[in-house]
Amino acid sequence: MLAVGDKYECDLTITPEQERLFMELTGDTNPVHTSGEEAQKATGGVFAPIAHGMLVASMIGKVMGMDFPGNRTINMERSFTFIRPLFVNEHYTMHFKVSEIDHDACTGTIKFSIKDQNKKICLTGSTLVKNIEKFGD
């Protein structure tokens, strides 16, 4: 059973192989994901390929379904904002915290963020999930 305030943290690194597979699966071959030069032109910043945002978002789903809350979790709603780009082969930390629970509906709201190695927030958001074992009475 989870409670309001419970936290979970894990590491995240998007690999070139994950990026390649994601591009192959989705057909999104935007050059900002393959070329440091194109990424720099698009952002005015770092000369490095930008990780696909939806690939990053799917890693949040992996945590929900496998780790926190875990098995039998159903995603009901998710919203997030990219504050700065995430890059392939860079190390990030994902932070999760239960902010609300509705025991009658067996749902929980979990706020999350992804921070880079300098502890700068790259992504922030929240998700509403259902898990009878973790949020029910």
Side-chain angles (χ1 to χ4, degrees):
M1 189 69 83
L2 289 173
V4 171
D6 284 354
K7 297 178 183 179
Y8 180 80
E9 182 178 298
C10 62
D11 294 330
L12 171 68
T13 301
I14 302 296
T15 68
E17 177 67 3
Q18 289 169 325
E19 270 296 309
R20 185 191 66 73
L21 290 169
F22 191 83
M23 281 189 281
E24 186 177 301
L25 179 66
T26 64
D28 180 355
T29 59
N30 183 334
V32 300
H33 302 301
T34 58
S35 164
E37 182 179 349
E38 290 297 318
Q40 187 177 42
K41 288 177 184 176
T43 65
V46 177
F47 187 87
I50 298 170
H52 279 82
M54 293 303 107
L55 174 57
V56 172
S58 70
M59 299 302 181
I60 295 164
K62 179 267 180 198
V63 170
M64 295 297 117
M66 302 305 296
D67 305 312
F68 184 78
N71 289 334
R72 299 188 187 93
T73 297
I74 299 169
N75 192 80
M76 309 293 286
E77 179 180 316
R78 185 176 305 149
S79 64
F80 48 89
T81 301
F82 290 97
I83 297 169
R84 56 181 44 88
L86 285 82
F87 300 98
V88 176
N89 278 337
E90 292 290 322
H91 176 78
Y92 299 92
T93 305
M94 301 171 73
H95 303 268
F96 301 86
K97 183 177 180 181
V98 177
S99 62
E100 296 176 37
I101 294 175
D102 181 337
H103 293 289
D104 293 332
C106 301
T107 60
T109 300
I110 299 174
K111 297 198 181 280
F112 56 83
S113 65
I114 299 177
K115 296 181 182 179
D116 67 15
Q117 295 176 25
N118 297 316
K119 306 219 183 298
K120 291 184 179 179
I121 296 174
C122 299
L123 179 147
T124 186
S126 67
T127 187
L128 176 67
V129 295
K130 182 170 186 161
N131 187 306
I132 294 169
E133 296 169 352
K134 302 294 174 92
F135 297 121
D137 280 332

Short mmCIF file of all heavy atoms in Angstrom, two decimals, residues 69-110:
data_model
loop_
_atom_site.label_atom_id
_atom_site.label_comp_id
_atom_site.label_asym_id
_atom_site.label_seq_id
_atom_site.Cartn_x
_atom_site.Cartn_y
_atom_site.Cartn_z
N PRO A 69 3.99 2.65 -9.09
CA PRO A 69 3.56 1.65 -8.11
C PRO A 69 3.93 0.20 -8.46
O PRO A 69 4.13 -0.62 -7.58
CB PRO A 69 2.05 1.79 -8.07
CG PRO A 69 1.74 3.11 -8.68
CD PRO A 69 2.87 3.39 -9.63
N GLY A 70 4.00 -0.17 -9.75
CA GLY A 70 4.42 -1.51 -10.11
C GLY A 70 3.37 -2.29 -10.88
O GLY A 70 2.46 -1.70 -11.48
N ASN A 71 3.52 -3.61 -10.85
CA ASN A 71 2.62 -4.50 -11.58
C ASN A 71 1.14 -4.18 -11.33
O ASN A 71 0.76 -3.80 -10.23
CB ASN A 71 2.88 -5.95 -11.21
CG ASN A 71 4.19 -6.46 -11.76
OD1 ASN A 71 4.68 -5.95 -12.77
ND2 ASN A 71 4.76 -7.44 -11.11
N ARG A 72 0.37 -4.35 -12.37
CA ARG A 72 -1.09 -4.14 -12.38
C ARG A 72 -1.48 -2.66 -12.32
O ARG A 72 -2.63 -2.34 -12.05
CB ARG A 72 -1.78 -4.93 -11.27
CG ARG A 72 -1.58 -6.43 -11.41
CD ARG A 72 -2.42 -7.22 -10.42
NE ARG A 72 -2.06 -8.61 -10.49
CZ ARG A 72 -1.15 -9.19 -9.71
NH1 ARG A 72 -0.53 -8.50 -8.77
NH2 ARG A 72 -0.86 -10.47 -9.84
N THR A 73 -0.54 -1.77 -12.57
CA THR A 73 -0.85 -0.34 -12.64
C THR A 73 -1.37 -0.01 -14.02
O THR A 73 -0.79 -0.42 -15.02
CB THR A 73 0.39 0.51 -12.32
OG1 THR A 73 0.81 0.23 -10.99
CG2 THR A 73 0.10 2.00 -12.48
N ILE A 74 -2.45 0.74 -14.07
CA ILE A 74 -3.05 1.20 -15.32
C ILE A 74 -2.93 2.72 -15.37
O ILE A 74 -3.37 3.41 -14.45
CB ILE A 74 -4.53 0.78 -15.43
CG1 ILE A 74 -4.64 -0.74 -15.39
CG2 ILE A 74 -5.16 1.35 -16.70
CD1 ILE A 74 -6.06 -1.24 -15.23
N ASN A 75 -2.34 3.23 -16.44
CA ASN A 75 -2.21 4.68 -16.61
C ASN A 75 -3.55 5.26 -17.05
O ASN A 75 -4.15 4.79 -18.02
CB ASN A 75 -1.14 4.98 -17.66
CG ASN A 75 -0.77 6.43 -17.66
OD1 ASN A 75 0.02 6.87 -16.83
ND2 ASN A 75 -1.30 7.19 -18.58
N MET A 76 -4.03 6.25 -16.35
CA MET A 76 -5.31 6.88 -16.66
C MET A 76 -5.13 8.23 -17.37
O MET A 76 -5.92 8.61 -18.21
CB MET A 76 -6.13 7.09 -15.38
CG MET A 76 -6.28 5.84 -14.51
SD MET A 76 -7.25 4.55 -15.29
CE MET A 76 -8.87 5.24 -15.14
N GLU A 77 -4.09 8.93 -16.97
CA GLU A 77 -3.86 10.28 -17.51
C GLU A 77 -2.42 10.67 -17.21
O GLU A 77 -1.89 10.31 -16.17
CB GLU A 77 -4.82 11.25 -16.79
CG GLU A 77 -4.72 12.68 -17.17
CD GLU A 77 -5.72 13.52 -16.38
OE1 GLU A 77 -6.88 13.12 -16.24
OE2 GLU A 77 -5.30 14.58 -15.90
N ARG A 78 -1.80 11.40 -18.14
CA ARG A 78 -0.43 11.87 -17.90
C ARG A 78 -0.24 13.20 -18.60
O ARG A 78 -0.64 13.36 -19.75
CB ARG A 78 0.60 10.86 -18.41
CG ARG A 78 2.02 11.28 -18.08
CD ARG A 78 3.07 10.27 -18.48
NE ARG A 78 2.76 8.98 -17.89
CZ ARG A 78 3.05 7.82 -18.46
NH1 ARG A 78 3.66 7.77 -19.61
NH2 ARG A 78 2.75 6.69 -17.87
N SER A 79 0.40 14.13 -17.93
CA SER A 79 0.77 15.40 -18.56
C SER A 79 2.19 15.73 -18.13
O SER A 79 2.61 15.39 -17.03
CB SER A 79 -0.20 16.52 -18.18
OG SER A 79 -0.13 16.78 -16.79
N PHE A 80 2.91 16.38 -19.03
CA PHE A 80 4.29 16.74 -18.71
C PHE A 80 4.72 17.91 -19.57
O PHE A 80 4.14 18.20 -20.61
CB PHE A 80 5.24 15.55 -18.88
CG PHE A 80 5.09 14.81 -20.17
CD1 PHE A 80 5.80 15.18 -21.30
CD2 PHE A 80 4.22 13.73 -20.26
CE1 PHE A 80 5.66 14.49 -22.49
CE2 PHE A 80 4.08 13.03 -21.44
CZ PHE A 80 4.80 13.42 -22.56
N THR A 81 5.76 18.57 -19.10
CA THR A 81 6.34 19.71 -19.79
C THR A 81 7.84 19.52 -19.90
O THR A 81 8.50 19.21 -18.90
CB THR A 81 6.05 21.02 -19.02
OG1 THR A 81 4.64 21.17 -18.88
CG2 THR A 81 6.64 22.22 -19.72
N PHE A 82 8.35 19.67 -21.11
CA PHE A 82 9.80 19.63 -21.32
C PHE A 82 10.34 21.03 -21.05
O PHE A 82 9.95 21.99 -21.70
CB PHE A 82 10.15 19.20 -22.74
CG PHE A 82 9.86 17.76 -23.01
CD1 PHE A 82 8.68 17.39 -23.63
CD2 PHE A 82 10.76 16.78 -22.64
CE1 PHE A 82 8.41 16.06 -23.87
CE2 PHE A 82 10.49 15.45 -22.88
CZ PHE A 82 9.31 15.08 -23.50
N ILE A 83 11.25 21.14 -20.11
CA ILE A 83 11.83 22.42 -19.74
C ILE A 83 13.14 22.63 -20.49
O ILE A 83 13.46 23.73 -20.91
CB ILE A 83 12.03 22.50 -18.22
CG1 ILE A 83 10.64 22.43 -17.56
CG2 ILE A 83 12.78 23.75 -17.82
CD1 ILE A 83 10.65 22.23 -16.10
N ARG A 84 13.89 21.57 -20.67
CA ARG A 84 15.11 21.59 -21.47
C ARG A 84 15.26 20.22 -22.12
O ARG A 84 14.74 19.23 -21.61
CB ARG A 84 16.33 21.98 -20.64
CG ARG A 84 16.61 21.16 -19.44
CD ARG A 84 17.84 21.63 -18.63
NE ARG A 84 17.95 23.04 -18.41
CZ ARG A 84 17.39 23.70 -17.40
NH1 ARG A 84 16.70 23.06 -16.50
NH2 ARG A 84 17.53 24.99 -17.29
N PRO A 85 15.97 20.15 -23.23
CA PRO A 85 16.09 18.86 -23.93
C PRO A 85 16.92 17.85 -23.14
O PRO A 85 17.79 18.23 -22.36
CB PRO A 85 16.77 19.22 -25.25
CG PRO A 85 17.37 20.56 -25.05
CD PRO A 85 16.63 21.24 -23.95
N LEU A 86 16.62 16.59 -23.39
CA LEU A 86 17.43 15.50 -22.87
C LEU A 86 18.25 14.95 -24.04
O LEU A 86 17.78 14.96 -25.17
CB LEU A 86 16.56 14.39 -22.29
CG LEU A 86 15.93 14.68 -20.92
CD1 LEU A 86 14.68 15.52 -21.06
CD2 LEU A 86 15.63 13.39 -20.20
N PHE A 87 19.46 14.48 -23.74
CA PHE A 87 20.37 14.06 -24.78
C PHE A 87 20.74 12.59 -24.64
O PHE A 87 20.78 12.05 -23.53
CB PHE A 87 21.64 14.92 -24.75
CG PHE A 87 21.35 16.38 -24.98
CD1 PHE A 87 21.25 17.25 -23.90
CD2 PHE A 87 21.17 16.87 -26.26
CE1 PHE A 87 20.96 18.59 -24.11
CE2 PHE A 87 20.89 18.21 -26.48
CZ PHE A 87 20.78 19.07 -25.40
N VAL A 88 21.01 11.98 -25.77
CA VAL A 88 21.43 10.58 -25.82
C VAL A 88 22.77 10.44 -25.08
O VAL A 88 23.63 11.32 -25.16
CB VAL A 88 21.56 10.12 -27.29
CG1 VAL A 88 22.10 8.69 -27.37
CG2 VAL A 88 20.22 10.24 -27.99
N ASN A 89 22.89 9.36 -24.33
CA ASN A 89 24.11 9.01 -23.58
C ASN A 89 24.41 9.92 -22.40
O ASN A 89 25.51 9.85 -21.84
CB ASN A 89 25.35 8.93 -24.49
CG ASN A 89 25.44 7.60 -25.20
OD1 ASN A 89 24.89 6.61 -24.76
ND2 ASN A 89 26.13 7.60 -26.32
N GLU A 90 23.48 10.76 -22.01
CA GLU A 90 23.65 11.58 -20.80
C GLU A 90 22.92 10.89 -19.64
O GLU A 90 21.92 10.22 -19.84
CB GLU A 90 23.08 12.98 -21.01
CG GLU A 90 23.84 13.81 -22.00
CD GLU A 90 25.20 14.23 -21.51
OE1 GLU A 90 25.37 14.55 -20.32
OE2 GLU A 90 26.13 14.23 -22.33
N HIS A 91 23.42 11.09 -18.44
CA HIS A 91 22.82 10.49 -17.25
C HIS A 91 21.80 11.44 -16.63
O HIS A 91 22.09 12.63 -16.46
CB HIS A 91 23.90 10.15 -16.22
CG HIS A 91 23.33 9.62 -14.95
ND1 HIS A 91 22.89 8.33 -14.82
CD2 HIS A 91 23.11 10.23 -13.77
CE1 HIS A 91 22.42 8.16 -13.59
NE2 HIS A 91 22.55 9.29 -12.94
N TYR A 92 20.63 10.90 -16.29
CA TYR A 92 19.56 11.66 -15.65
C TYR A 92 19.03 10.88 -14.46
O TYR A 92 19.22 9.67 -14.37
CB TYR A 92 18.41 11.92 -16.64
CG TYR A 92 18.86 12.73 -17.83
CD1 TYR A 92 19.30 12.11 -18.99
CD2 TYR A 92 18.86 14.11 -17.79
CE1 TYR A 92 19.74 12.85 -20.08
CE2 TYR A 92 19.29 14.86 -18.87
CZ TYR A 92 19.73 14.22 -20.01
OH TYR A 92 20.17 14.96 -21.08
N THR A 93 18.35 11.58 -13.57
CA THR A 93 17.68 10.94 -12.45
C THR A 93 16.19 11.27 -12.53
O THR A 93 15.81 12.43 -12.72
CB THR A 93 18.24 11.43 -11.10
OG1 THR A 93 19.65 11.22 -11.11
CG2 THR A 93 17.63 10.66 -9.94
N MET A 94 15.37 10.21 -12.41
CA MET A 94 13.91 10.36 -12.43
C MET A 94 13.42 10.34 -10.98
O MET A 94 13.81 9.47 -10.20
CB MET A 94 13.28 9.22 -13.22
CG MET A 94 13.77 9.15 -14.66
SD MET A 94 13.24 7.65 -15.53
CE MET A 94 11.51 8.01 -15.77
N HIS A 95 12.56 11.31 -10.63
CA HIS A 95 12.03 11.44 -9.28
C HIS A 95 10.51 11.34 -9.34
O HIS A 95 9.87 11.99 -10.19
CB HIS A 95 12.41 12.80 -8.68
CG HIS A 95 13.88 13.05 -8.64
ND1 HIS A 95 14.66 12.72 -7.56
CD2 HIS A 95 14.72 13.57 -9.57
CE1 HIS A 95 15.91 13.05 -7.81
NE2 HIS A 95 15.98 13.57 -9.02
N PHE A 96 9.93 10.55 -8.43
CA PHE A 96 8.49 10.34 -8.37
C PHE A 96 8.01 10.51 -6.93
O PHE A 96 8.70 10.11 -6.00
CB PHE A 96 8.15 8.92 -8.83
CG PHE A 96 8.59 8.62 -10.23
CD1 PHE A 96 9.88 8.16 -10.48
CD2 PHE A 96 7.74 8.80 -11.30
CE1 PHE A 96 10.31 7.89 -11.77
CE2 PHE A 96 8.16 8.53 -12.60
CZ PHE A 96 9.45 8.07 -12.83
N LYS A 97 6.80 11.11 -6.79
CA LYS A 97 6.24 11.29 -5.44
C LYS A 97 4.72 11.20 -5.52
O LYS A 97 4.09 11.89 -6.33
CB LYS A 97 6.65 12.66 -4.88
CG LYS A 97 6.16 12.90 -3.47
CD LYS A 97 6.65 14.23 -2.94
CE LYS A 97 6.18 14.48 -1.54
NZ LYS A 97 6.65 15.79 -1.03
N VAL A 98 4.14 10.37 -4.67
CA VAL A 98 2.68 10.27 -4.59
C VAL A 98 2.15 11.56 -3.97
O VAL A 98 2.55 11.93 -2.86
CB VAL A 98 2.25 9.05 -3.73
CG1 VAL A 98 0.73 9.00 -3.60
CG2 VAL A 98 2.79 7.76 -4.32
N SER A 99 1.27 12.25 -4.70
CA SER A 99 0.75 13.53 -4.20
C SER A 99 -0.71 13.45 -3.75
O SER A 99 -1.15 14.26 -2.93
CB SER A 99 0.91 14.63 -5.25
OG SER A 99 0.18 14.32 -6.41
N GLU A 100 -1.47 12.50 -4.31
CA GLU A 100 -2.88 12.34 -3.94
C GLU A 100 -3.26 10.88 -4.08
O GLU A 100 -2.74 10.18 -4.94
CB GLU A 100 -3.80 13.14 -4.86
CG GLU A 100 -3.63 14.63 -4.81
CD GLU A 100 -4.53 15.33 -5.83
OE1 GLU A 100 -5.67 14.87 -6.04
OE2 GLU A 100 -4.07 16.31 -6.42
N ILE A 101 -4.22 10.45 -3.25
CA ILE A 101 -4.78 9.10 -3.36
C ILE A 101 -6.29 9.19 -3.19
O ILE A 101 -6.79 9.89 -2.31
CB ILE A 101 -4.19 8.16 -2.29
CG1 ILE A 101 -2.69 7.95 -2.53
CG2 ILE A 101 -4.94 6.82 -2.28
CD1 ILE A 101 -2.00 7.12 -1.47
N ASP A 102 -7.00 8.46 -4.06
CA ASP A 102 -8.45 8.28 -3.93
C ASP A 102 -8.67 6.79 -3.69
O ASP A 102 -8.66 5.99 -4.63
CB ASP A 102 -9.17 8.74 -5.20
CG ASP A 102 -10.66 8.60 -5.14
OD1 ASP A 102 -11.16 7.77 -4.34
OD2 ASP A 102 -11.36 9.30 -5.90
N HIS A 103 -8.83 6.41 -2.43
CA HIS A 103 -8.96 4.99 -2.08
C HIS A 103 -10.21 4.37 -2.69
O HIS A 103 -10.19 3.20 -3.09
CB HIS A 103 -8.96 4.81 -0.56
CG HIS A 103 -7.65 5.14 0.08
ND1 HIS A 103 -6.53 4.37 -0.07
CD2 HIS A 103 -7.29 6.18 0.88
CE1 HIS A 103 -5.53 4.90 0.59
NE2 HIS A 103 -5.96 6.01 1.18
N ASP A 104 -11.30 5.13 -2.79
CA ASP A 104 -12.53 4.59 -3.37
C ASP A 104 -12.35 4.22 -4.84
O ASP A 104 -12.85 3.20 -5.30
CB ASP A 104 -13.68 5.59 -3.23
CG ASP A 104 -14.09 5.81 -1.77
OD1 ASP A 104 -13.90 4.87 -0.96
OD2 ASP A 104 -14.57 6.91 -1.45
N ALA A 105 -11.62 5.05 -5.59
CA ALA A 105 -11.39 4.80 -7.01
C ALA A 105 -10.12 3.96 -7.24
O ALA A 105 -9.84 3.57 -8.37
CB ALA A 105 -11.27 6.12 -7.76
N CYS A 106 -9.37 3.70 -6.16
CA CYS A 106 -8.10 2.95 -6.25
C CYS A 106 -7.10 3.65 -7.18
O CYS A 106 -6.37 3.01 -7.93
CB CYS A 106 -8.34 1.52 -6.71
SG CYS A 106 -9.44 0.58 -5.64
N THR A 107 -7.07 4.98 -7.12
CA THR A 107 -6.17 5.75 -7.98
C THR A 107 -5.21 6.60 -7.14
O THR A 107 -5.49 6.94 -5.99
CB THR A 107 -6.93 6.68 -8.93
OG1 THR A 107 -7.72 7.60 -8.16
CG2 THR A 107 -7.82 5.89 -9.88
N GLY A 108 -4.11 6.94 -7.78
CA GLY A 108 -3.15 7.82 -7.16
C GLY A 108 -2.59 8.79 -8.19
O GLY A 108 -2.45 8.43 -9.37
N THR A 109 -2.31 9.99 -7.75
CA THR A 109 -1.63 10.97 -8.59
C THR A 109 -0.17 10.99 -8.17
O THR A 109 0.14 11.12 -6.98
CB THR A 109 -2.25 12.36 -8.45
OG1 THR A 109 -3.62 12.30 -8.83
CG2 THR A 109 -1.52 13.39 -9.31
N ILE A 110 0.69 10.83 -9.16
CA ILE A 110 2.12 10.82 -8.90
C ILE A 110 2.77 11.95 -9.68
O ILE A 110 2.63 12.03 -10.90
CB ILE A 110 2.74 9.46 -9.29
CG1 ILE A 110 2.09 8.35 -8.46
CG2 ILE A 110 4.26 9.50 -9.13
CD1 ILE A 110 2.51 6.95 -8.85
#
